[in-house]
Amino acid sequence: MNNKNNIIGFTLIALVLIAFSWFNQPSQEQIEAQMKQDSIETAARLKAEKEKVLAEQARKAQAEAAAQGDTTNIFYKALNGESRDVVLKNEKLELTLSTKGGTPTKAVIKGFTGHHKNDEGKYAPELDTQDLTLFDKGDQQLNFLLAGKQDNIVTKDMFFTPSNQTDSTVTMTLEAANGGRLVIDYRLNQDYLLSMSVRAEGLSGMFAPNYTQMDLEWDGKARQQEKGFTFENRYSTLTYKEANGGSTDYLSETSAEEDEKIEEALDWVAFKNQFFSAVLISKDNFAKEALLTSIPQDKDSGYLKNYKAKLKTAFDPTGRQASEFEMFIGPNNFTLLQDVEEKSHFGKDLDLQQLVYLGWPLFRWINRFFTIYVFDWLTRWGFPMGVVLILITLLLKAITYPLVKKSYMSSAKMRVLKPKLDALTKEYDKPEDAMKKQQEMMALYSKYGVSPLSGCLPMLIQMPIWIAMFNFVPNAIQLRGQSFLWIDDLSTYDPIIEWNSHIWGIGDHLSLTCILFCVANLAYSYMSMRQQKDQMVGQQAEQMKMMQWMMYLMPLMFFFMFNDYSAGLNFYYFVSLFFSAAIMWLLRKTTNDAKLLAILEARYEQNKNNPKKVSGLAARLEAMQKQAEELQRQRQNGYKK
């Protein structure tokens, strides 16, 4: 009955989704309203593009003024210079800042293996021995734009002067002709957190009295860091967090979204890869109507996506208060991100751990308060990651075993009662006796103390766990680069055969753990169907035959879905199904059908001598049967008259 209920459940879910899509089609009024809204958004986009053109023209004019020796520009000296690199580093992170632009241009995350370029200049997908480079020159650019009454400041085109330099601090300064300065202070903390402040000194006369915001343009290319382009791309997103305790959201992982306007103020914006992120955090929030862009890149480009963020935040031209920022540049580790939030100097509810996607609320709760703690606890013992996955599987099987056993015993009771159910089927074999047959079956179940629906409960318990692990394993950075048995890297696919061309639905490889998972799924489905077949009667048995081909088709569908998925996830599913089959086999071997039937007969005699009031589904069937019989008598009396 478990498999039958699964099929019925999946069918109902599909029907609900189809119906939901149908009933939620926009009306003609909604379509017209949307067209109007699109027109407004188009006008806003054209305005933004015009402003962008004007800003670019101002930048070019600034550059031309420098080239022509226009000494009237207040930052004339800063328009010419030599680009030099300044390096900040600690045990975990090495950042390179360029004096041209005064912002980070390269980030190397220590302790994680990275990649190297091949002879064609492309990034090799296999992990190398060098430290991981999250971004390099040309990959990332942070630009501050300040609109003065006469001269604009576009920092990416200006040359800063470094000072106060140590291994973890540096001050980048733009010198103005009037003696004023624009200063950016950097401090690299003892982790992955970079503190940054922007302040003006002696520049208040350069800006309008009501000037209180500056613009930021942050552009970045997400490098391909893992072997599986498609799989990594699925988990690489431009993510953002709404301010004042708001929610976390992200742009589409697969389709291009250009200048997506965010209506709420933001705490932070993250350029996220599957396992690593660069996050820009503002103390005073990023203003409403930020424009965010995510554009997928070609598979052979070495990049996953192009990210762009156009932001505004508070700026004090008087210099009394600096604009403060923090940048997290590091791994997407749930526990680490919690610690980083504690170390942030802004005292805000950043919720950075949302960068590790753990699923919808129910599944996230399972992963947040069970899977992560157990995973970290087992990891601290020094077990190989493959063994950790096996131990987690065993623990989950131990927790759900009482429910699984209860489900199996319910099926076994129905199996030993099958001869009696077959007798009822023969007795009520006419179509008009269908309801009476169901009523008698429910009464039989009640007298023998059997519930035909009890086998559904374990599936309801186990499915959320399966889905929770589906979200946890691909985002567990602890699996990255970890080998086990024949698997080189548990975080990506494990090919036994690879080829150069792409085949639709399969890709360019065959993953061994995916094949094992599908074979185990096929074997488990076969065992389950044999068990259900032993308890099916009448029309149910015929329906089971029709369902068989669907159950055998599901492993094939899973193959096309999971061939690109991580070996760790496929390995977990394989191990889980293996132990499920072993538990089913063990229960079958240890169940004595004759003793079980004797227990049921004793219960039947007890219930017969002490009849209980029929309730639940049996009572409803009995009431429906009486109504049908009464209606049939009324019709017969009407025919006689």
Side-chain angles (χ1 to χ4, degrees):
M1 180 165 290
N2 287 352
N3 287 325
K4 178 182 177 183
N5 287 330
N6 293 345
I7 293 298
I8 294 172
F10 290 138
T11 304
L12 289 175
I13 290 172
L15 292 175
V16 168
L17 291 174
I18 294 171
F20 180 81
S21 301
W22 174 263
F23 286 117
N24 282 274
Q25 292 184 95
S27 62
Q28 184 62 33
E29 292 80 5
Q30 291 173 322
I31 294 175
E32 293 175 356
Q34 183 62 42
M35 292 176 63
K36 183 178 179 181
Q37 179 65 27
D38 290 343
S39 299
I40 295 174
E41 291 178 354
T42 300
R45 179 174 57 81
L46 293 174
K47 181 181 178 181
E49 291 177 353
K50 182 178 179 181
E51 292 176 351
K52 181 179 179 181
V53 170
L54 292 175
E56 182 64 21
Q57 289 175 349
R59 187 190 67 79
K60 289 181 178 179
Q62 196 175 61
E64 290 174 1
Q68 297 171 6
D70 184 1
T71 58
T72 62
N73 190 300
I74 192 171
F75 284 102
Y76 166 73
K77 291 182 179 179
L79 293 173
N80 296 276
E82 181 182 353
S83 177
R84 294 188 291 115
D85 289 338
V86 176
V87 178
L88 304 180
K89 58 185 177 180
N90 58 27
E91 294 180 354
K92 298 178 180 180
L93 185 64
E94 181 178 304
L95 286 177
T96 301
L97 292 80
S98 175
T99 56
K100 183 177 182 181
T103 54
T105 57
K106 182 178 181 180
V108 176
I109 302 175
K110 301 178 182 180
F112 293 90
T113 50
H115 302 268
H116 64 277
K117 286 185 178 181
N118 58 25
D119 295 337
E120 298 177 357
K122 298 180 180 179
Y123 292 96
E126 295 78 13
L127 293 176
D128 202 356
T129 56
Q130 62 185 12
D131 291 327
L132 182 140
T133 300
L134 186 62
F135 59 83
D136 203 344
K137 293 180 180 179
D139 296 344
Q140 191 104 183
Q141 184 176 72
L142 179 60
N143 183 26
F144 297 98
L145 300 97
L146 297 98
K149 289 185 292 187
Q150 294 181 344
D151 299 318
N152 295 327
I153 301 176
V154 183
T155 59
K156 70 177 182 180
D157 297 323
M158 295 184 169
F159 293 87
F160 287 73
T161 302
S163 61
N164 303 325
Q165 184 179 352
T166 67
D167 283 346
S168 59
T169 63
V170 69
T171 298
M172 293 286 192
T173 305
L174 285 180
E175 300 286 350
N178 65 352
R181 301 188 304 170
L182 183 72
V183 180
I184 307 178
D185 288 311
Y186 291 96
R187 184 180 70 257
L188 181 60
N189 300 288
Q190 297 301 314
D191 47 31
Y192 301 98
L193 199 62
L194 174 71
S195 297
M196 175 173 55
S197 67
V198 181
R199 71 181 191 276
E201 295 181 359
L203 297 176
S204 57
M206 178 181 174
F207 302 97
N210 61 346
Y211 188 76
T212 59
Q213 283 188 330
M214 68 174 172
D215 291 80
L216 293 85
E217 292 180 348
W218 187 25
D219 298 349
K221 296 179 180 180
R223 285 189 176 194
Q224 181 183 349
Q225 300 287 358
E226 315 305 326
K227 179 165 63 176
F229 175 88
T230 303
F231 189 65
E232 183 185 6
N233 203 36
R234 187 180 291 115
Y235 292 94
S236 299
T237 61
L238 194 158
T239 308
Y240 56 90
K241 162 72 166 54
E242 295 176 358
N244 304 316
S247 60
T248 304
D249 205 349
Y250 54 88
L251 302 187
S252 172
E253 311 97 312
T254 54
S255 59
E257 294 194 25
E258 298 189 43
D259 287 349
E260 179 79 9
K261 183 183 292 186
I262 310 302
E263 300 298 334
E264 302 296 327
L266 303 177
D267 277 331
W268 50 260
V269 175
F271 292 176
K272 176 182 177 295
N273 281 58
Q274 181 181 2
F275 292 124
F276 303 92
S277 292
V279 186
L280 182 61
I281 308 165
S282 173
K283 180 179 180 180
D284 299 313
N285 304 337
F286 295 116
K288 297 179 180 180
E289 299 187 350
L291 298 177
L292 305 180
T293 297
S294 176
I295 303 176
Q297 300 299 291
D298 294 334
K299 183 176 181 179
D300 296 328
S301 67
Y303 297 95
L304 304 168
K305 293 181 173 72
N306 274 6
Y307 296 136
K308 296 179 182 293
K310 299 177 183 178
L311 311 164
K312 293 179 181 290
T313 193
F315 177 73
D316 181 6
T318 67
R320 287 190 292 266
Q321 184 175 354
S323 300
E324 295 186 51
F325 307 90
E326 288 177 335
M327 286 192 76
F328 169 79
I329 303 173
N332 299 330
N333 181 298
F334 190 93
T335 306
L336 169 66
L337 290 168
Q338 286 182 312
D339 293 339
V340 169
E341 183 167 336
E342 293 293 327
K343 294 176 181 178
S344 171
H345 298 90
F346 296 162
K348 303 173 73 172
D349 181 17
L350 296 175
D351 210 13
L352 285 171
Q353 61 268 26
Q354 291 285 350
L355 289 170
V356 182
Y357 182 71
L358 298 177
W360 292 353
L362 172 62
F363 314 123
R364 182 174 183 83
W365 188 91
I366 294 172
N367 285 324
R368 171 68 180 82
F369 296 104
F370 174 79
T371 311
I372 288 177
Y373 284 116
V374 174
F375 192 87
D376 289 344
W377 178 69
L378 292 173
T379 302
R380 284 195 294 268
W381 283 87
F383 294 116
M385 288 302 165
V387 174
V388 169
L389 291 174
I390 294 174
L391 293 176
I392 288 179
T393 306
L394 288 173
L395 179 59
L396 291 172
K397 292 301 177 184
I399 293 173
T400 58
Y401 177 77
L403 293 172
V404 172
K405 184 177 180 180
K406 182 179 180 181
S407 170
Y408 177 82
M409 293 309 297
S410 176
S411 300
K413 291 173 184 178
M414 295 181 66
R415 182 176 69 243
V416 299
L417 290 177
K418 187 174 183 297
K420 300 182 183 297
L421 297 173
D422 288 336
L424 285 176
T425 301
K426 292 179 181 179
E427 183 178 352
Y428 301 100
D429 60 345
K430 297 179 181 179
E432 58 270 22
D433 294 335
M435 187 170 292
K436 181 67 175 177
K437 180 177 67 174
Q438 290 296 327
Q439 181 183 352
E440 291 296 328
M441 284 185 174
M442 295 306 297
L444 185 68
Y445 291 144
S446 179
K447 291 175 182 178
Y448 280 96
V450 175
S451 173
L453 300 179
S454 63
C456 303
L457 182 60
M459 181 57 65
L460 295 177
I461 297 297
Q462 292 186 79
M463 282 303 293
I465 295 175
W466 267 52
I467 298 175
M469 294 299 289
F470 175 83
N471 290 297
F472 172 76
V473 174
N475 292 290
I477 193 172
Q478 295 88 339
L479 299 178
R480 185 179 187 269
Q482 297 296 311
S483 60
F484 183 69
L485 300 178
W486 69 90
I487 305 170
D488 293 330
D489 186 350
L490 285 164
S491 69
T492 187
Y493 61 84
D494 56 319
I496 53 171
I497 301 176
E498 291 185 278
W499 51 87
N500 294 326
S501 60
H502 180 84
I503 300 178
W504 182 87
I506 298 178
D508 57 3
H509 65 275
L510 290 178
S511 177
L512 180 55
T513 51
C514 179
I515 295 173
L516 291 175
F517 160 47
C518 294
V519 171
N521 193 3
L522 187 66
Y524 180 72
S525 298
Y526 175 76
M527 292 178 64
S528 299
M529 289 170 61
R530 285 195 61 183
Q531 177 181 327
Q532 299 300 324
K533 185 178 179 181
D534 292 339
Q535 65 189 52
M536 294 295 176
V537 294
Q539 189 177 3
Q540 290 179 337
E542 295 299 322
Q543 292 174 348
M544 176 57 71
K545 292 180 180 179
M546 291 186 292
M547 290 181 184
Q548 284 181 356
W549 70 271
M550 296 180 63
M551 298 303 297
Y552 291 140
L553 188 62
M554 287 184 65
L556 181 61
M557 295 171 58
F558 282 140
F559 170 76
F560 290 109
M561 291 173 57
F562 287 86
N563 190 47
D564 265 332
Y565 271 64
S566 69
L569 182 64
N570 283 319
F571 181 73
Y572 165 77
Y573 282 155
F574 164 68
V575 173
S576 180
L577 286 168
F578 174 83
F579 284 119
S580 294
I583 290 171
M584 184 183 298
W585 177 85
L586 180 63
L587 289 172
R588 183 69 180 90
K589 287 296 183 181
T590 56
T591 301
N592 189 312
D593 287 0
K595 289 183 179 180
L596 181 59
L597 181 59
I599 294 172
L600 293 178
E601 292 291 357
R603 185 178 299 171
Y604 174 79
E605 293 297 329
Q606 182 180 358
N607 292 338
K608 185 170 66 172
N609 296 330
N610 301 288
K612 297 180 181 180
K613 183 179 179 180
V614 178
S615 61
L617 180 58
R620 290 193 293 272
L621 287 171
E622 183 177 353
M624 293 172 62
Q625 175 67 17
K626 290 179 179 179
Q627 291 176 2
E629 291 175 352
E630 180 63 24
L631 181 60
Q632 187 174 4
R633 281 197 298 270
Q634 291 177 2
R635 287 177 177 175
Q636 290 176 349
N637 292 336
Y639 292 149
K640 291 178 180 179
K641 292 179 180 181

